[in-house]
Amino acid sequence: MAKGHNYTRKLQFNQKTRKRIKDRDHGECIFCAMGYHMEYISGRIPGKEIMHFVPRSQMGLGIEENGALGCLEHHELLDNGNKGLRPEMLGRFEAYLRSFYPEWDKDKLVYRKYDF
């Protein structure tokens, strides 16, 4: 069995967390539900996935407070950032998460090996 980093599991959304996020978001892309820049959304790419607020590449944890459901096209807009929308999208994403988690804190969404 190949050895991987022990922290990588903490960065992934497990099945229970995925279900809680999908239920919380009513199975809808949070940005589509907001009607956010729908002119960029063609609907030709079906499917939804869980988006990280703090990306895995920045050690973002796979916890409910760090994720929301997104259609593939809005997720691409968020991750790619080639239209200059990333800062605004992150602001809306943060406001959305804060509406569910009043004590939401971006610093608590990042894996730190020695935090207990």
Side-chain angles (χ1 to χ4, degrees):
M1 175 187 288
K3 268 186 136 174
H5 294 284
N6 290 332
Y7 65 82
T8 55
R9 194 171 314 145
K10 295 179 188 293
L11 307 182
Q12 303 296 324
F13 294 108
N14 65 34
Q15 286 305 104
K16 284 184 180 180
T17 302
R18 288 177 177 280
K19 179 167 180 7
R20 287 193 304 266
I21 290 171
K22 288 176 186 177
D23 289 347
R24 181 198 66 205
D25 299 346
H26 306 289
E28 293 184 73
C29 167
I30 64 166
F31 294 111
C32 287
M34 295 175 195
Y36 184 79
H37 279 289
M38 298 305 288
E39 69 273 16
Y40 296 122
I41 307 306
S42 68
R44 288 181 289 191
I45 305 172
K48 296 179 189 91
E49 57 194 3
I50 308 292
M51 305 177 289
H52 281 77
F53 180 84
V54 175
R56 287 177 292 193
S57 63
Q58 295 174 11
M59 304 303 282
L61 294 167
I63 58 176
E64 286 178 64
E65 296 86 345
N66 193 34
L69 194 58
C71 70
L72 298 177
E73 291 175 287
H74 272 116
H75 196 176
E76 175 67 19
L77 277 176
L78 177 67
D79 285 352
N80 192 355
N82 66 355
K83 302 231 184 299
L85 299 174
R86 184 170 176 78
E88 182 181 23
M89 290 181 84
L90 285 174
R92 289 180 181 234
F93 196 168
E94 179 177 337
Y96 180 81
L97 292 170
R98 284 183 183 279
S99 74
F100 291 96
Y101 313 103
E103 301 295 317
W104 187 89
D105 181 352
K106 183 179 175 182
D107 292 334
K108 292 179 182 174
L109 307 178
V110 178
Y111 174 79
R112 289 180 179 79
K113 184 175 182 177
Y114 296 107
D115 281 358
F116 296 99

